[in-house]
Amino acid sequence: MKTLEELINTEEPGWDLVQEWLQEATNPYEILPRDIKRAEEELVRAQVTTRSPMGAIIYETGGILIDGGWIRILGSGCERLQRGIMEWNKGKSFDYYGEQPRFLLIADDVLGGYFAINGGGLSEESLGKIFYLAPDTLQWEDMDCTYSDFLNWAFAGDLQMFYEGSYWNGCKEEVAQANADKVFSFFPPLWTKEGKDLENSSRKLVPIEESYALTLEFQAQLNNK
Protein backbone atom coordinates (compact mmCIF):
# COMPACT_ATOMS: atom_id res chain seq x y z
CA MET A 1 0.00 0.00 0.00
CA LYS A 2 1.19 3.51 -0.83
CA THR A 3 2.09 5.89 1.96
CA LEU A 4 0.32 9.17 2.69
CA GLU A 5 3.23 11.10 1.18
CA GLU A 6 2.96 9.12 -2.04
CA LEU A 7 -0.78 9.81 -2.30
CA ILE A 8 -0.66 13.58 -1.79
CA ASN A 9 -0.09 15.35 -5.10
CA THR A 10 0.88 18.98 -4.71
CA GLU A 11 1.79 19.62 -8.36
CA GLU A 12 -1.57 18.75 -9.92
CA PRO A 13 -4.09 18.71 -7.06
CA GLY A 14 -7.49 17.38 -8.03
CA TRP A 15 -9.09 19.80 -5.60
CA ASP A 16 -8.40 22.65 -8.05
CA LEU A 17 -10.52 20.84 -10.64
CA VAL A 18 -13.31 20.10 -8.15
CA GLN A 19 -13.37 23.76 -7.14
CA GLU A 20 -13.72 24.76 -10.79
CA TRP A 21 -16.77 22.49 -11.05
CA LEU A 22 -18.18 23.94 -7.85
CA GLN A 23 -17.86 27.47 -9.23
CA GLU A 24 -20.20 26.40 -12.04
CA ALA A 25 -22.64 24.65 -9.70
CA THR A 26 -26.32 25.42 -10.11
CA ASN A 27 -27.48 23.19 -7.26
CA PRO A 28 -27.01 24.34 -3.64
CA TYR A 29 -24.03 22.68 -1.94
CA GLU A 30 -22.14 22.77 1.32
CA ILE A 31 -18.56 21.60 1.79
CA LEU A 32 -18.20 20.03 5.22
CA PRO A 33 -14.97 20.71 7.10
CA ARG A 34 -12.38 17.98 7.35
CA ASP A 35 -10.61 16.54 10.34
CA ILE A 36 -7.03 16.29 9.09
CA LYS A 37 -6.28 13.05 10.95
CA ARG A 38 -9.39 11.36 9.56
CA ALA A 39 -8.65 12.75 6.10
CA GLU A 40 -5.16 11.27 6.13
CA GLU A 41 -6.39 7.90 7.39
CA GLU A 42 -9.19 7.66 4.82
CA LEU A 43 -6.87 8.65 1.96
CA VAL A 44 -4.44 5.88 2.85
CA ARG A 45 -7.28 3.39 3.18
CA ALA A 46 -8.65 4.42 -0.23
CA GLN A 47 -5.24 4.27 -1.93
CA VAL A 48 -6.16 7.00 -4.41
CA THR A 49 -4.06 10.09 -4.99
CA THR A 50 -5.21 13.64 -4.41
CA ARG A 51 -4.66 14.23 -8.11
CA SER A 52 -7.99 12.43 -8.63
CA PRO A 53 -11.31 14.10 -7.79
CA MET A 54 -12.15 11.30 -5.36
CA GLY A 55 -8.82 11.57 -3.57
CA ALA A 56 -9.24 15.32 -3.42
CA ILE A 57 -12.72 15.10 -1.87
CA ILE A 58 -11.53 12.52 0.65
CA TYR A 59 -8.50 14.60 1.66
CA GLU A 60 -10.02 18.09 1.50
CA THR A 61 -13.53 17.57 2.84
CA GLY A 62 -15.55 15.81 5.49
CA GLY A 63 -18.09 15.33 2.70
CA ILE A 64 -20.29 17.50 0.49
CA LEU A 65 -24.02 18.07 0.98
CA ILE A 66 -26.06 18.73 -2.15
CA ASP A 67 -29.42 20.51 -2.21
CA GLY A 68 -29.71 21.02 1.53
CA GLY A 69 -28.50 17.51 2.30
CA TRP A 70 -30.78 15.66 -0.14
CA ILE A 71 -27.61 14.02 -1.52
CA ARG A 72 -24.56 13.32 0.64
CA ILE A 73 -21.24 12.84 -1.16
CA LEU A 74 -18.85 10.98 1.10
CA GLY A 75 -15.46 12.40 2.00
CA SER A 76 -13.37 11.59 5.05
CA GLY A 77 -16.15 12.11 7.58
CA CYS A 78 -16.78 14.83 10.13
CA GLU A 79 -19.10 15.75 12.98
CA ARG A 80 -22.11 16.33 10.72
CA LEU A 81 -21.43 13.39 8.40
CA GLN A 82 -19.75 10.75 10.47
CA ARG A 83 -19.19 8.26 7.66
CA GLY A 84 -15.79 8.39 6.00
CA ILE A 85 -16.02 6.77 2.58
CA MET A 86 -13.78 3.79 3.34
CA GLU A 87 -14.95 3.13 6.88
CA TRP A 88 -18.55 3.19 5.61
CA ASN A 89 -17.72 0.65 2.88
CA LYS A 90 -15.81 -1.73 5.15
CA GLY A 91 -17.95 -4.82 5.68
CA LYS A 92 -20.24 -3.84 2.80
CA SER A 93 -18.16 -3.78 -0.37
CA PHE A 94 -14.91 -5.20 1.03
CA ASP A 95 -13.81 -7.00 4.18
CA TYR A 96 -10.41 -5.51 4.94
CA TYR A 97 -8.52 -2.36 3.97
CA GLY A 98 -6.36 -2.89 0.90
CA GLU A 99 -8.79 -5.37 -0.66
CA GLN A 100 -10.24 -4.51 -4.07
CA PRO A 101 -13.87 -3.46 -3.45
CA ARG A 102 -16.63 -5.27 -5.34
CA PHE A 103 -18.22 -1.82 -5.54
CA LEU A 104 -17.65 1.41 -3.64
CA LEU A 105 -20.46 3.40 -2.05
CA ILE A 106 -19.62 7.02 -2.82
CA ALA A 107 -22.85 8.90 -2.00
CA ASP A 108 -26.42 8.44 -0.85
CA ASP A 109 -29.64 10.39 -0.62
CA VAL A 110 -32.22 11.13 2.02
CA LEU A 111 -34.70 8.69 0.43
CA GLY A 112 -32.42 5.75 1.14
CA GLY A 113 -30.91 5.54 -2.35
CA TYR A 114 -27.23 4.63 -2.77
CA PHE A 115 -24.68 5.60 -5.41
CA ALA A 116 -21.72 3.27 -6.01
CA ILE A 117 -18.84 2.74 -8.40
CA ASN A 118 -19.04 -0.70 -9.96
CA GLY A 119 -15.95 -2.78 -9.30
CA GLY A 120 -17.46 -5.90 -10.84
CA GLY A 121 -19.80 -6.76 -7.99
CA LEU A 122 -22.83 -4.97 -9.45
CA SER A 123 -22.36 -5.97 -13.08
CA GLU A 124 -19.67 -7.69 -15.13
CA GLU A 125 -20.08 -4.83 -17.56
CA SER A 126 -19.85 -1.08 -16.98
CA LEU A 127 -16.79 -1.39 -14.76
CA GLY A 128 -15.91 1.92 -13.15
CA LYS A 129 -19.35 3.35 -13.86
CA ILE A 130 -21.77 4.72 -11.25
CA PHE A 131 -24.82 2.65 -10.32
CA TYR A 132 -27.81 3.80 -8.24
CA LEU A 133 -29.62 1.50 -5.84
CA ALA A 134 -33.07 3.01 -6.21
CA PRO A 135 -35.34 2.79 -3.15
CA ASP A 136 -38.45 2.54 -5.35
CA THR A 137 -37.20 -0.52 -7.30
CA LEU A 138 -34.51 -2.01 -5.00
CA GLN A 139 -32.41 -2.59 -8.11
CA TRP A 140 -28.96 -1.31 -9.03
CA GLU A 141 -29.45 0.94 -12.05
CA ASP A 142 -26.54 1.83 -14.36
CA MET A 143 -26.23 5.63 -14.56
CA ASP A 144 -23.68 5.24 -17.36
CA CYS A 145 -21.33 7.87 -15.95
CA THR A 146 -17.95 8.07 -14.22
CA TYR A 147 -17.23 9.46 -10.75
CA SER A 148 -16.27 12.83 -12.27
CA ASP A 149 -19.46 12.83 -14.34
CA PHE A 150 -21.44 12.05 -11.19
CA LEU A 151 -19.91 15.02 -9.36
CA ASN A 152 -20.77 17.35 -12.21
CA TRP A 153 -24.32 16.00 -12.26
CA ALA A 154 -24.67 16.49 -8.50
CA PHE A 155 -23.31 20.04 -8.74
CA ALA A 156 -25.14 21.19 -11.86
CA GLY A 157 -27.47 18.42 -13.11
CA ASP A 158 -31.25 18.32 -13.22
CA LEU A 159 -31.97 16.80 -9.81
CA GLN A 160 -35.66 17.68 -10.12
CA MET A 161 -35.97 15.39 -13.12
CA PHE A 162 -33.99 12.55 -11.53
CA TYR A 163 -36.12 12.68 -8.38
CA GLU A 164 -39.42 13.39 -10.10
CA GLY A 165 -42.24 11.90 -8.06
CA SER A 166 -40.05 11.68 -4.95
CA TYR A 167 -40.95 15.03 -3.40
CA TRP A 168 -43.70 15.81 -0.93
CA ASN A 169 -45.03 19.02 0.55
CA GLY A 170 -42.49 20.45 2.97
CA CYS A 171 -39.82 17.90 2.08
CA LYS A 172 -37.02 20.44 1.63
CA GLU A 173 -37.63 21.85 5.10
CA GLU A 174 -37.61 18.35 6.61
CA VAL A 175 -34.43 17.41 4.76
CA ALA A 176 -32.66 20.57 5.90
CA GLN A 177 -33.24 19.52 9.52
CA ALA A 178 -32.19 15.90 8.96
CA ASN A 179 -28.98 14.39 10.26
CA ALA A 180 -26.74 13.45 7.30
CA ASP A 181 -26.27 9.97 8.76
CA LYS A 182 -30.00 9.30 8.71
CA VAL A 183 -32.50 8.67 5.91
CA PHE A 184 -36.26 8.57 5.70
CA SER A 185 -38.01 5.26 6.17
CA PHE A 186 -41.39 5.27 4.42
CA PHE A 187 -44.49 3.25 5.08
CA PRO A 188 -45.71 1.82 2.83
CA PRO A 189 -42.17 1.29 1.42
CA LEU A 190 -41.30 3.19 -1.76
CA TRP A 191 -40.90 -0.04 -3.73
CA THR A 192 -44.53 -1.05 -3.19
CA LYS A 193 -47.44 0.09 -5.34
CA GLU A 194 -49.00 1.81 -2.33
CA GLY A 195 -45.73 3.56 -1.52
CA LYS A 196 -45.75 5.68 -4.68
CA ASP A 197 -48.07 8.21 -3.06
CA LEU A 198 -45.67 10.07 -0.79
CA GLU A 199 -48.26 12.60 0.33
CA ASN A 200 -50.20 9.84 2.04
CA SER A 201 -47.23 7.84 3.30
CA SER A 202 -45.87 8.00 6.81
CA ARG A 203 -42.14 8.55 7.28
CA LYS A 204 -39.53 8.77 9.98
CA LEU A 205 -35.78 9.29 10.06
CA VAL A 206 -33.71 6.18 10.82
CA PRO A 207 -29.94 5.55 10.99
CA ILE A 208 -28.58 4.94 7.50
CA GLU A 209 -26.84 1.75 8.65
CA GLU A 210 -30.24 0.33 9.58
CA SER A 211 -31.78 1.48 6.30
CA TYR A 212 -28.99 -0.02 4.18
CA ALA A 213 -29.24 -3.41 5.88
CA LEU A 214 -33.03 -3.44 5.49
CA THR A 215 -32.75 -2.43 1.83
CA LEU A 216 -30.46 -5.39 1.10
CA GLU A 217 -32.80 -7.72 3.00
CA PHE A 218 -35.84 -6.61 1.00
CA GLN A 219 -33.81 -6.72 -2.22
CA ALA A 220 -32.83 -10.34 -1.56
CA GLN A 221 -36.44 -11.28 -0.84
CA LEU A 222 -37.69 -9.72 -4.08
CA ASN A 223 -34.90 -11.29 -6.15
CA ASN A 224 -35.71 -14.72 -4.72
CA LYS A 225 -39.38 -14.56 -5.65
Side-chain angles (χ1 to χ4, degrees), residues 71-197:
I71 295 176
R72 305 85 174 260
I73 298 173
L74 301 180
S76 51
C78 62
E79 184 177 351
R80 290 177 56 200
L81 179 58
Q82 287 291 334
R83 297 167 292 129
I85 187 170
M86 300 310 291
E87 60 182 348
W88 169 240
N89 275 273
K90 189 173 186 290
K92 299 179 180 68
S93 62
F94 62 86
D95 296 319
Y96 57 87
Y97 294 124
E99 179 186 5
Q100 182 66 33
R102 299 178 293 277
F103 57 90
L104 191 71
L105 298 162
I106 51 99
D108 39 71
D109 60 42
V110 76
L111 301 173
Y114 301 89
F115 300 92
I117 299 175
N118 178 32
L122 304 180
S123 170
E124 294 181 359
E125 302 176 350
S126 300
L127 292 176
K129 293 297 181 67
I130 303 298
F131 280 63
Y132 178 60
L133 179 51
D136 58 343
T137 66
L138 299 185
Q139 299 299 317
W140 284 105
E141 302 171 358
D142 188 352
M143 295 184 68
D144 193 28
C145 68
T146 65
Y147 181 78
S148 293
D149 294 333
F150 170 78
L151 292 179
N152 277 288
W153 169 78
F155 298 157
D158 191 345
L159 302 185
Q160 297 282 338
M161 182 176 70
F162 186 82
Y163 287 106
E164 186 177 5
S166 298
Y167 300 106
W168 63 92
N169 288 330
C171 63
K172 292 300 178 73
E173 290 77 14
E174 290 183 43
V175 171
Q177 299 299 317
N179 182 300
D181 292 303
K182 291 188 175 183
V183 299
F184 283 107
S185 173
F186 295 88
F187 185 80
L190 297 180
W191 49 269
T192 64
K193 180 180 178 180
E194 297 78 11
K196 307 306 179 189
D197 182 7

Side-chain angles (χ1 to χ4, degrees), residues 188-222:
L190 297 180
W191 49 269
T192 64
K193 180 180 178 180
E194 297 78 11
K196 307 306 179 189
D197 182 7
L198 293 184
E199 292 297 343
N200 292 308
S201 297
S202 63
R203 60 190 170 274
K204 63 177 181 178
L205 286 166
V206 299
I208 194 168
E209 189 80 56
E210 175 185 321
S211 175
Y212 183 77
L214 197 58
T215 296
L216 296 188
E217 183 179 324
F218 284 137
Q219 182 188 54
Q221 291 176 8
L222 289 178

